[in-house]
C-alpha cells in the first residue's frame, strides 16, 4: 500500500476531470507540513499545501457513456498511459492519491466505483482514491474545503452546498427536468422568443429572431436542424450569448429572460447554502461569462435571498478541485464529507 507523503517531503497526486466537453488529467506535486491556522480540524492530520501542477493533458473527446454507465475501461485506457508518461517526464516518484471527478458520477458511475480502485492499485500501488461527482470537484476548485455554496453553470446548472457534515444539492436534473437558469435554459427561452416574433405572437423579439437566423439559418427550418441533434442541450446553450448580446443592446425581451434566469440561479444557491452568518457563495463555469446582463440581476437576487452570504470569486476550476481533493486525501487532511454518490473514498 502506498504511504502518504512524509511531512515536509513532496509527493505526487493525480486529478482527473471527465465531462461532456472532454477529459483532462493533471499530475501535481504536493508538500505536507504543519501549518498552524491553515484550517485543518483537530485530528484530521497534517495540512496540505496547494498542489503544484507538474503537467496537464487534455482531450476534447469525452469518455463514453453507455447502458452500463460511464465506460470505466475507456477512461482507464486514456488515463493510465497519460499519467505514466507524465511521471516519466517528471522523474518518477510514487503517487499518493488519485481523485476522479466525473459528470454523471452520481447516477452513471457504478462501473467507475467497481473498477477504478483495483485498477489504480494494480497500476500504481495507490490505494487512496476519491471518486466524485463533477459538482464536488467544481465545489473544491471554487471554495476549497470551507463551508459554503457553489453554483456551477454552463450548458446545465447545479448548486452544491455543505457545512462540512453533509452535502445539499439543487437542480442538475438536465434540460428537460431542470437546469433552470442554465445556458440551455436561456438559449431555449431566447429561441422561443425568436419563434414568437417569426409567428407574430405576443412576447416575441425581432432582435432575437435576427440573431437566431444568423446563427442557425431560416427560422422555419430550425426544428429540422435542432430536433435530430443528439447534442440538443449544447445547441440550445450556444444561443445564450446571443440573448446576452441582445440584452446588452437593450432588447426588453432578452433582458427579461436573463432576469428570470438570475432568479432561478439565486434560488438554487439559496436551497443549498448552509445556515449561519458569512457563508461563502461562488459562481463557476462558462455561464457566468455572459457578463453584466446576467450578473447584475443575479447579484441583486443573491443579496435578497441570501443577505448574510458573501459572494466570492471561484478559486479554480473542477480540475483544480480534483487535485485539491487528491492532495488532501494523500495527506489525511480531507474535510469535505463523504457521500455514497457524490464523494466516495477508498483509503
Amino acid at each position: 500500500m502506498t504511504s502518504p507523503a512524509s511531512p515536509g517531503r513532496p509527493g505526487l497526486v493525480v486529478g482527473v476531470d471527465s465531462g461532456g466537453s472532454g477529459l483532462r488529467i493533471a499530475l501535481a506535486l504536493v508538500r505536507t507540513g504543519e501549518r498552524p491556522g491553515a484550517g485543518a480540524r483537530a485530528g484530521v492530520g497534517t495540512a496540505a499545501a496547494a498542489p503544484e501542477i507538474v503537467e496537464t493533458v487534455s482531450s476534447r473527446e469525452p469518455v463514453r457513456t453507455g447502458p452500463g454507465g460511464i465506460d470505466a475501461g475507456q477512461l482507464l485506457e486514456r488515463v493510465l498511459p497519460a499519467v505514466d508518461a507524465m511521471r516519466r517526464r517528471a522523474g518518477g516518484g510514487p503517487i499518493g492519491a488519485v481523485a476522479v471527478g466525473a459528470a454523471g458520477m452520481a447516477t452513471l458511475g457504478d462501473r467507475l466505483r467497481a473498477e477504478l480502485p483495483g485498477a489504480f492499485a494494480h497500476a500504481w500501488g495507490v490505494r487512496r482514491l476519491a471518486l466524485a461527482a463533477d459538482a464536488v470537484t467544481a465545489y473544491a476548485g471554487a471554495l476549497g474545503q470551507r463551508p459554503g455554496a457553489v453554483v456551477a453553470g454552463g450548458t446545465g446548472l447545479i448548486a452544491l452546498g455543505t457545512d462540512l457534515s453533509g452535502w445539499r444539492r439543487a437542480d442538475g436534473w438536465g434540460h428537460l427536468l431542470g437546469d433552470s437558469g442554465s445556458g440551455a435554459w436561456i438559449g431555449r427561452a431566447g429561441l422561443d422568443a425568436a419563434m414568437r416574433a417569426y409567428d407574430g405572437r405576443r412576447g416575441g423579439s425581432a432582435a432575437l429572431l435576427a440573431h437566431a437566423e444568423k446563427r442557425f439559418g431560416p427560422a422555419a427550418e430550425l426544428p429540422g436542424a435542432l430536433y435530430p441533434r443528439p447534442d440538443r442541450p449544447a445547441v440550445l446553450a450556444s444561443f445564450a450569448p446571443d440573448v446576452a448580446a441582445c440584452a446588452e443592446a437593450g432588447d426588453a425581451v432578452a433582458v427579461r429572460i436573463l432576469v428570470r434566469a438570475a432568479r432561478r440561479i439565486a434560488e438554487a444557491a439559496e436551497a443549498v447554502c448552509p445556515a449561519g452568518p458569512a457563508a461563502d457563495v461562488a459562481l463557476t463555469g462558462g455561464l457566468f461569462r455572459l457578463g453584466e446582463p446576467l450578473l447584475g440581476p443575479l447579484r441583486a437576487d443573491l443579496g435578497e435571498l441570501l443577505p448574510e452570504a458573501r459572494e466570492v470569486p471561484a478559486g479554480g476550476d473542477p480540475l483544480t478541485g480534483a487535485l485539491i481533493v487528491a492532495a488532501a486525501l494523500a495527506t489525511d487532511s480531507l474535510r469535505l464529507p463523504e457521500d455514497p454518490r457524490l464523494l466516495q473514498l477508498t483509503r
Side-chain angles (χ1 to χ4, degrees):
M1 175 174 178
T2 299
S3 299
S6 301
R9 298 185 62 186
L12 295 173
V13 295
V14 173
V16 178
D17 175 37
S18 176
S21 59
L23 178 69
R24 296 187 299 159
I25 308 158
L27 184 71
L29 193 67
V30 60
R31 293 181 184 276
T32 64
E34 295 295 338
R35 296 193 302 154
R41 292 181 302 179
V44 171
T46 58
E52 304 168 17
I53 295 179
V54 174
E55 187 178 350
T56 300
V57 297
S58 62
S59 167
R60 293 185 177 181
E61 180 188 355
V63 175
R64 289 190 300 262
T65 298
I70 302 168
D71 190 331
Q74 190 196 37
L75 185 142
L76 289 167
E77 288 171 1
R78 296 167 67 181
V79 169
L80 293 178
V83 172
D84 287 341
M86 287 190 286
R87 284 176 76 194
R88 287 194 298 272
R89 290 191 288 269
I95 295 175
V98 180
V100 177
M105 178 71 78
T107 55
L108 299 170
D110 287 347
R111 289 186 59 185
L112 299 186
R113 286 184 280 268
E115 298 180 34
L116 264 54
F120 289 140
H122 176 75
W124 301 326
V126 61
R127 299 289 196 277
R128 294 179 179 229
L129 171 64
L131 297 177
D134 59 340
V136 170
T137 50
Y139 184 101
L143 289 183
Q145 297 198 82
R146 63 187 191 268
V150 170
V151 180
T155 297
L157 186 134
I158 187 169
L160 202 65
T162 183
D163 58 3
L164 301 185
S165 66
W167 294 101
R168 296 183 67 180
R169 166 189 171 161
D171 215 335
W173 305 122
H175 74 292
L176 294 179
L177 298 177
D179 286 354
S180 297
S182 69
W185 187 96
I186 292 169
R188 187 203 175 281
L191 290 172
D192 176 84
M195 300 309 291
R196 285 176 177 273
Y198 179 77
D199 291 342
R201 290 178 284 150
R202 293 177 182 270
S205 163
L208 286 169
L209 175 59
H211 274 255
E213 292 195 320
K214 182 178 180 180
R215 181 174 291 274
F216 299 112
E221 298 176 11
L222 183 57
L226 177 62
Y227 291 141
R229 294 281 294 266
D231 58 344
R232 283 188 298 274
V235 176
L236 293 172
S238 72
F239 194 61
D242 295 272
V243 178
C246 289
E248 187 75 42
D251 182 76
V253 173
V255 168
R256 286 196 294 271
I257 290 171
L258 293 179
V259 166
R260 292 200 304 271
R263 190 68 177 189
R264 303 298 193 276
I265 296 166
E267 289 168 348
E270 178 192 28
V272 303
C273 192
D280 287 339
V281 177
L283 309 173
T284 184
L287 175 68
F288 302 106
R289 291 197 289 269
L290 293 181
E292 195 61 23
L294 176 65
L295 295 178
L298 178 53
R299 282 192 291 265
D301 285 337
L302 288 172
E304 175 191 343
L305 298 181
L306 293 169
E308 295 185 333
R310 178 183 63 167
E311 185 189 344
V312 298
D317 64 10
L319 183 59
T320 302
L323 290 172
I324 288 172
V325 170
L329 185 59
T331 56
D332 294 317
S333 58
L334 186 64
R335 302 179 65 194
L336 298 176
E338 292 187 55
D339 182 276
R341 290 291 176 182
L342 293 175
L343 180 59
Q344 179 178 302
L345 304 177
T346 302
R347 293 184 174 94

